Amino acid sequence: MIVLHHLNHSRSMRILWLLEELEVEYQIKHYERDPETNRAPAELKSVHQLGKSPVIEDGDQIIAETGAIIVYLLDKYSDGSLRPDKESPEYVDYVHFLHFAEGSAMLPFLLALYTSYLGEAAAPLQPLIVGEIKGILDYCEYALTRNEYFAGDHLTGADIQMIFPLEAAKARGRLIEYEACNDYVDKIHKRPAYLRALEKGGDYAYGPKGI
């Protein structure tokens, strides 16, 4: 039985969504952020040394990091769906966006968040951060005008990864000028598996409004 260690308002929502798409049996162990620090609770360190979520347990295996979890679950539980054939042209995009989400896309959003705590001291960095965010969103918009999803015309694990930076961008009003990105987020938010995950996962600041 897969156990997902799930933290509210976190990247863990992506793994919950993937498990619902795969229609496998799993259990959720819920964790709540500290109301004062907004950090993950210390008890997560008893599961994995990083003390972060998501983490899954599958038998004797304990796997952390969203991308690694996606690869593991698709290798073990997918019937061939949610990833392109290795010989297909879409496979290169699949691998690219699977890593791009955390390797490039999230960094400027995190810099914007962390420097917001510094007030005027962060002013010299703001033009650079804003420019980096624009570059990321321009690239996503370009990708989504070429295909319905990030790795072709079918949902893949790359989309499981890419939804989080775009959700974070939309929640902060950064997608106003990005029609394809907006449509993409709205489309994902209407998927039955996503909605089931949202219901089971609890509080999630980046989900559809009103749910």
Side-chain angles (χ1 to χ4, degrees):
M1 175 68 73
I2 299 166
V3 178
L4 169 62
H5 295 270
H6 176 67
L7 178 66
N8 65 319
H9 304 310
S10 81
R11 291 164 167 82
S12 179
M13 174 62 187
R14 291 185 290 195
I15 300 305
L16 190 51
W17 171 33
L18 175 57
L19 290 167
E20 286 295 325
E21 291 283 355
L22 290 172
E23 297 183 332
V24 296
E25 292 187 16
Y26 66 93
Q27 296 176 347
I28 307 174
K29 185 169 182 181
H30 290 270
Y31 299 82
E32 296 290 324
R33 292 183 179 275
D34 185 293
E36 293 184 5
T37 66
N38 204 39
R39 305 291 292 175
E43 61 188 302
L44 266 171
K45 287 191 174 183
S46 67
V47 183
H48 190 279
Q49 281 181 300
L50 286 174
K52 297 180 181 294
S53 176
V55 175
I56 66 166
E57 293 183 71
D58 189 17
D60 294 332
Q61 295 282 355
I62 298 177
I63 304 120
E65 290 295 333
T66 310
I69 295 170
I70 291 171
V71 170
Y72 174 85
L73 290 175
L74 292 183
D75 281 348
K76 187 168 181 180
Y77 293 102
S78 174
D79 59 1
S81 60
L82 296 179
R83 61 182 175 185
D85 185 273
K86 286 188 176 182
E87 302 303 319
S88 71
E90 291 81 12
Y91 187 76
V92 174
D93 285 338
Y94 163 74
V95 173
H96 168 70
F97 283 108
L98 192 64
H99 294 279
F100 171 81
E102 294 293 339
S104 295
M106 280 305 299
L107 177 59
F109 293 112
L110 290 172
L111 287 174
L113 174 64
Y114 295 149
T115 56
S116 69
Y117 302 135
L118 301 177
E120 290 300 317
L125 291 173
Q126 293 309 309
L128 175 62
I129 295 171
V130 169
E132 287 295 315
I133 289 175
K134 183 179 186 305
I136 293 295
L137 294 179
D138 286 350
Y139 179 53
C140 290
E141 185 77 2
Y142 169 73
L144 291 172
T145 55
R146 296 173 64 215
N147 296 298
E148 187 174 353
Y149 295 95
F150 276 101
D153 292 327
H154 301 282
L155 184 81
T156 71
D159 300 292
I160 304 295
Q161 276 284 65
M162 284 300 300
I163 190 59
F164 188 76
L166 290 184
E167 285 179 325
K170 185 165 186 172
R172 289 167 174 78
R174 299 185 187 276
L175 293 189
I176 294 173
E177 298 180 0
Y178 295 94
E179 183 178 354
C181 289
N182 261 305
D183 290 346
Y184 174 83
V185 173
D186 290 343
K187 176 173 58 182
I188 296 300
H189 284 177
K190 293 176 183 176
R191 291 185 68 86
Y194 185 98
L195 293 171
R196 292 196 303 270
L198 195 63
E199 183 178 356
K200 294 177 182 179
D203 293 343
Y204 184 59
Y206 310 111
K209 299 298 182 183
I211 296 179

